[in-house]
């Protein structure tokens, strides 16, 4: 199995000699043995990555194709192994999805979520990351405190947020007469923006981490040059830092959009299942209700595919307008 | 999506451990000195950030210890007469914290084991070994990270819970998370930082690929191992949606699921629901927060940044 045996010295056998004659190769250029031509220089690479590749096929590739297949059928649950006839329905599931007011409202809700969450995430994480990058004291303490919400379970933090923002919660006690009525998470206009703010707060540490990595790659010389040209600290931020971390910004836009489209735990727990009156329902919550609770997995798969296509379109537009034109 | 594959950290020559120190010295360079006013403003912004991030955690602990919920401003400070551990007893009566912790532990442990063993092998193959199809496999590992779970949720549920009958089963719980792709990419990045000559020298000395992996590669990626364990731990431990879908039996439910069920259903019937919820939240959050604070220096931007960007 060792790679030492597969060095060019192995070209002495008769088969490579015949090949050399036919293809007219230089005598010193040995033909690789068959195993090496099929698998590459270290066939062991296949063995080592086989578990991971099988995992990707079984957990990602096959279910992905299965979801597309399912969305064109009136799929329903049946006992394992039972032969049942699941009729092909063409685009019916998609037509139903686009005419169902609940689905349309959930997409509108995600729109509200993204409009609040994505810009807030980009601005706050970049500002805090560049602040953290130039500070000398308390650096570790601040870094840890920014990451803590990200590493903690959403279910645990939701408990505190419900306590903070309920009718008689601390926030309303501080606000006094200014407290909204009905209170935050049961208020139809405030429920979705509150979820957007919660998710921004919860995920911010991760994006700060990404921006910190990107800030290491901005050449220090650029700051020196800008400084010599008389640019102040604020000017440097806008003309050196922001262009310098543009690849990271594209990544942050992409990831925050994907995470926003994946919203489930927050509307399920913070607003009691997408309440009030569906004002904070997310598409994934609908997929769960339709696909698993009510037993229409084909319809649920169709909603999922529409959602992913929309995310891909948004990601493409973000990449087009925020990404570097040259690359 | 092409721009996301930006070249990862340029410090390929530096040993994995010494990068933190090198970076800090760069930041102190003179052109970035702030004026006094700017420094104060920066300090204020960073402090407000820290308070906004930490206060809910402080309030979680205070609230979990209150005998009767006190939501006034004074209630944000612990008052000696109002302290109790009863909330922990109450929540334990309702959702059995021990079985929840055990279930979370098995779920997380299974994912960690698979990720460390198979992720390390895949990361090694993707960086050190030359084989046909390596580029495609690497592209797959990047692509998998942007496949949204919501699309896979329904087919995975149909396959795992219905077709294979793995509902209420640890195997079914672990399977979709078994190998963390970010971990594969972090391992790959670390192996790439080891000088190639080390491997070539070992091969010339007649060492087989297994020996090279065990004797040379493994000892050198130990810091990556801690990063990977930390990063992988928070996934399954905090995961709610998938175990929620696949477990119906209370004894099988990880703590995140049983606490969420408590929040959404029975909370109204307890005398001090928030005290009990917050006590459960403290138990769920504590292991991750402690682990993270102890090993925070392995949770560095370069390691994880390179893992996400590839």
């Amino acid at each position: 199995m060792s790679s030492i045996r597969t060095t060019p010295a192995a070209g002495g056998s008769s088969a490579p000699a015949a090949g050399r004659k036919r293809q007219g190769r230089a005598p010193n250029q040995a033909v690789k043995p068959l195993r090496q031509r099929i698998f590459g220089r270290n066939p062991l690479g296949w063995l080592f990555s086989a578990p991971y590749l099988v995992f990707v096929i079984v957990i990602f590739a096959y279910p992905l194709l299965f979801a597309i297949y399912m969305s064109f059928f009136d799929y329903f649950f049946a006992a394992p192994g039972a032969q049942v006839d699941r009729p092909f329905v063409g685009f019916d599931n998609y037509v139903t999805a686009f005419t169902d007011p609940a689905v349309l409202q959930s997409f509108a809700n995600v729109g509200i979520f993204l409009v609040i969450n994505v810009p807030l995430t980009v601005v706050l994480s970049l500002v805090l990351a560049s602040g953290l990058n130039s500070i000398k004291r308390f650096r570790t303490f601040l870094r840890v405190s920014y990451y803590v919400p990200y590493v903690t379970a959403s279910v645990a933090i939701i408990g505190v947020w419900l306590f903070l923002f309920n009718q008689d919660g601390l926030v309303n006690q501080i606000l006094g007469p200014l407290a909204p009525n009905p209170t935050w998470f049961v208020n139809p206009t405030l429920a979705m923006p509150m979820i957007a703010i919660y998710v921004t707060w919860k995920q911010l540490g991760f994006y700060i981490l990404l921006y910190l990595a990107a800030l290491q790659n901005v050449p220090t010389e650029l700051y020196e040059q800008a400084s010599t040209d008389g640019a102040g600290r604020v000017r440097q931020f806008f003309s050196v830092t922001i262009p310098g971390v543009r690849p990271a910004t594209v990544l942050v836009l992409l990831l925050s959009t994907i995470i926003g489209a994946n919203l489930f735990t927050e509307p399920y727990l913070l607003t009691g299942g997408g309440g009030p009156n569906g004002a904070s329902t997310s598409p994934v919550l609908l997929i769960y209700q339709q696909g698993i609770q009510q037993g229409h997995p084909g319809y649920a798969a169709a909603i999922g595919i529409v959602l992913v296509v929309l995310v891909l379109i948004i990601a493409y537009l973000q990449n087009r307008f925020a990404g570097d034109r040259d690359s | 999506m092409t721009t996301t594959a930006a070249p990862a950290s340029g410090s390929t020559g530096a040993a994995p451990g010494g990068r933190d120190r090198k970076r800090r010295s760069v930041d102190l360079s003179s052109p970035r000195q702030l004026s006094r006013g700017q420094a104060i403003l920066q300090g204020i912004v960073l402090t407000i950030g820290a308070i906004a991030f930490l206060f809910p955690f402080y309030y979680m602990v205070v609230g979990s210890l209150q005998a009767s919920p006190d939501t006034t401003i004074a209630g944000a400070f612990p008052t000696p007469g109002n302290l109790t551990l009863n909330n922990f007893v109450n929540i334990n009566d309702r959702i059995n914290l021990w079985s929840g912790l055990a279930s979370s532990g098995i779920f997380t442990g299974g994912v960690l084991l698979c990720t460390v063993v198979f992720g390390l092998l895949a990361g090694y193959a993707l960086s050190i070994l030359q084989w046909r199809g390596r580029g495609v496999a690497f592209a797959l590992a990047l692509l998998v990270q942007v496949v949204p779970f919501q699309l896979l949720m329904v087919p995975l549920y149909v396959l795992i819970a219905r077709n294979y009958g793995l509902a209420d089963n640890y195997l079914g719980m672990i399977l979709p998370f078994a190998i963390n792709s970010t971990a594969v990419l972090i391992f790959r990045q670390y192996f790439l930082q080891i000088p190639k000559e080390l491997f070539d020298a070992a091969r010339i000395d007649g060492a087989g690929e297994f020996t090279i992996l065990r004797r040379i590669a493994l000892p050198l990626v130990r810091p990556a191992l801690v990063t990977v364990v930390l990063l992988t731990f928070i996934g399954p431990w905090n995961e709610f949606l998938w175990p929620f879908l696949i477990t119906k039996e209370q004894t099988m439910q990880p703590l995140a699921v049983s606490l969420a069920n408590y929040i959404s259903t029975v909370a109204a019937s307890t005398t001090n629901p928030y005290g009990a919820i917050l006590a459960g939240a403290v138990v769920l959050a504590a292991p991750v927060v402690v682990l993270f604070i102890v090993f925070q220096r392995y949770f560095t931007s370069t390691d994880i940044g390179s893992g996400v960007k590839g």
Side-chain angles (χ1 to χ4, degrees):
Chain A
M1 269 292 177
S2 82
S3 64
I4 297 155
R5 247 179 291 150
T6 58
T7 45
S13 62
S14 61
R20 193 187 304 157
K21 205 179 292 169
R22 211 178 305 129
Q23 291 164 22
R25 292 193 186 193
N28 60 348
Q29 200 181 345
V31 173
K32 294 168 184 171
L34 183 68
R35 194 189 66 186
Q36 196 171 329
R37 264 181 293 161
I38 295 174
F39 295 113
R41 196 146 59 86
N42 295 114
L44 217 51
W46 273 106
L47 188 69
F48 281 1
S49 38
Y52 179 66
L53 294 176
V54 169
F55 169 77
V56 169
I57 290 166
V58 171
I59 298 298
F60 290 91
Y62 180 64
L64 208 67
L65 295 176
F66 189 34
I68 295 169
Y69 167 86
M70 216 157 52
S71 73
F72 290 104
F73 285 83
D74 183 11
Y75 204 93
F76 53 85
F77 297 131
Q83 288 295 320
V84 285
D85 186 39
R86 294 175 173 123
F88 176 80
V89 293
F91 282 95
D92 276 9
N93 284 327
Y94 291 90
V95 172
T96 319
F98 276 113
T99 48
D100 185 345
V103 174
L104 295 178
Q105 185 175 17
S106 75
F107 281 113
N109 288 341
V110 167
I112 297 172
F113 176 91
L114 292 178
V115 163
I116 298 170
N117 168 267
V118 174
L120 211 59
T121 299
V122 171
V123 171
L124 288 179
S125 55
L126 181 55
V127 165
L128 288 174
S130 46
L132 206 56
N133 195 40
S134 60
I135 202 170
K136 290 152 228 164
R137 277 180 296 172
F138 306 116
R139 197 184 157 111
T140 305
F141 169 76
L142 289 170
R143 212 165 56 88
V144 168
S145 58
Y146 292 174
Y147 295 169
V148 161
Y150 172 67
V151 300
T152 309
S154 206
V155 173
I157 302 175
I158 280 171
V160 193
W161 275 62
L162 285 172
F163 188 40
L164 277 168
F165 287 95
N166 79 20
Q167 191 72 58
D168 318 305
L170 182 67
V171 173
N172 284 355
Q173 296 274 354
I174 292 170
L175 288 176
L178 293 173
N181 186 31
T183 193
W184 307 94
F185 288 116
V186 289
N187 187 316
T189 38
L190 288 177
M192 206 62 208
M194 279 302 287
I195 289 176
I197 289 168
Y198 168 83
V199 173
T200 309
W201 176 85
K202 168 90 171 64
Q203 298 288 334
L204 208 59
F206 177 65
Y207 300 115
I208 291 175
L209 185 123
L210 288 184
Y211 268 127
L212 274 177
L215 286 170
Q216 313 308 318
N217 292 338
V218 181
T220 333
E221 297 81 51
L222 287 179
Y223 288 106
E224 282 160 11
Q225 278 167 15
S227 179
T228 335
D229 294 346
R233 168 71 186 187
V234 177
R235 186 67 202 274
Q236 284 180 28
F237 179 79
F238 281 103
S239 48
V240 179
T241 307
I242 289 182
V245 297
R246 184 178 285 173
T249 305
V250 174
L251 187 65
V252 170
L253 287 173
L254 176 74
L255 290 177
S256 57
T257 308
I258 292 176
I259 288 172
N262 255 318
L263 206 61
F264 174 81
T265 312
E266 291 75 17
Y268 182 77
L269 290 175
L270 273 178
T271 56
N277 248 335
S280 64
T281 316
S282 72
V284 181
L285 196 66
L286 276 184
I287 292 176
Y288 161 70
Q289 288 167 348
Q290 289 291 340
I292 289 156
Q293 279 189 321
Q294 298 175 25
H296 306 298
Y299 181 43
I303 300 175
I305 288 166
V306 171
L307 181 64
V308 169
V309 169
L310 287 177
V311 168
L312 285 178
I313 292 171
I314 295 173
Y316 170 77
L317 292 176
Q318 285 172 346
N319 207 7
R320 181 78 197 279
F321 292 109
D324 209 340
R325 299 268 154 76
D326 313 326
S327 63
Chain B
M1 238 171 277
T2 45
T3 42
T4 60
S9 61
S11 57
T12 35
R19 279 171 303 160
D20 224 7
R21 222 174 304 127
K22 188 181 156 198
R23 188 195 315 147
R24 207 160 293 171
S25 66
V26 171
D27 300 331
L28 303 178
S29 54
S30 56
R32 308 199 63 193
Q33 286 296 352
L34 301 175
S35 74
R36 203 183 160 76
Q38 283 171 331
I40 291 170
L41 185 70
Q42 186 182 53
I44 290 171
V45 169
L46 288 173
T47 312
I48 289 174
I51 292 170
F53 284 117
L54 289 181
F55 179 75
F57 288 88
Y58 164 78
Y59 203 52
M60 185 196 286
V61 177
V62 170
S64 74
L65 296 172
Q66 283 175 348
S68 62
D70 183 357
T71 57
T72 59
I73 297 163
F77 304 96
T79 32
N82 196 16
L83 290 182
T84 176
L85 287 174
N86 254 339
N87 293 322
F88 290 89
V89 178
N90 282 342
I91 189 80
N92 194 30
D93 285 346
R94 292 306 187 98
I95 63 173
N96 196 348
L97 295 176
W98 298 113
S99 102
L101 281 173
S103 192
S104 287
I106 294 170
F107 177 29
T108 310
V111 171
L112 278 178
L113 190 72
C114 291
T115 295
V116 167
V117 173
F118 299 127
L120 189 108
L121 286 176
Y124 183 74
L126 285 177
S127 53
I128 303 299
L129 302 176
Q130 306 285 331
W131 46 284
R132 195 167 293 234
R134 191 173 92 160
V136 178
F138 177 56
L140 271 180
L142 285 176
L143 210 64
V144 157
Q145 297 194 321
V146 291
V147 175
F149 187 73
Q150 75 266 34
L151 186 57
L152 303 177
M153 179 172 102
V154 172
L156 276 177
Y157 177 79
V158 172
L159 290 173
I160 290 178
R162 301 275 166 166
N163 292 5
Y164 307 148
L166 291 176
D168 282 319
N169 183 310
Y170 287 116
L171 191 63
M173 217 188 287
I174 292 168
L175 216 52
F177 297 90
I179 306 176
N180 184 347
S181 292
T182 312
V184 172
L185 295 177
I186 290 177
F187 278 131
R188 173 184 171 272
Q189 192 62 32
Y190 254 81
F191 283 125
L192 283 178
Q193 287 173 358
I194 301 172
K196 257 198 153 46
E197 292 76 27
L198 271 178
F199 295 101
D200 294 339
R203 282 192 192 116
I204 289 165
D205 289 346
E209 290 300 329
F210 282 108
T211 319
I212 294 176
L213 176 65
R214 200 158 46 88
R215 293 277 179 78
I216 297 172
L218 271 187
L220 284 170
V221 291
R222 218 168 276 159
L225 220 57
V226 185
T227 308
V228 162
V229 167
L230 207 60
L231 194 75
T232 308
F233 187 95
I234 63 179
W237 186 271
N238 296 344
E239 176 63 24
F240 168 65
L241 178 53
W242 178 250
F244 166 73
L245 293 183
I246 205 155
T247 55
K248 291 286 163 276
E249 272 176 51
Q250 257 227 325
T251 49
M252 285 296 294
Q253 285 172 347
L255 190 53
V257 176
S258 50
L259 182 63
N261 283 343
Y262 179 75
I263 292 176
S264 65
T265 56
V266 289
S269 61
T270 317
T271 44
N272 182 1
Y274 283 112
I277 289 173
L278 294 177
V282 168
V283 174
L284 176 60
V288 180
V289 172
V290 169
L291 212 75
F292 170 67
I293 290 173
V294 170
F295 292 106
Q296 61 82 21
R297 69 194 176 91
Y298 291 97
F299 205 80
T300 56
S301 44
T302 3
D303 303 334
I304 293 159
S306 70
V308 176
K309 283 184 293 180

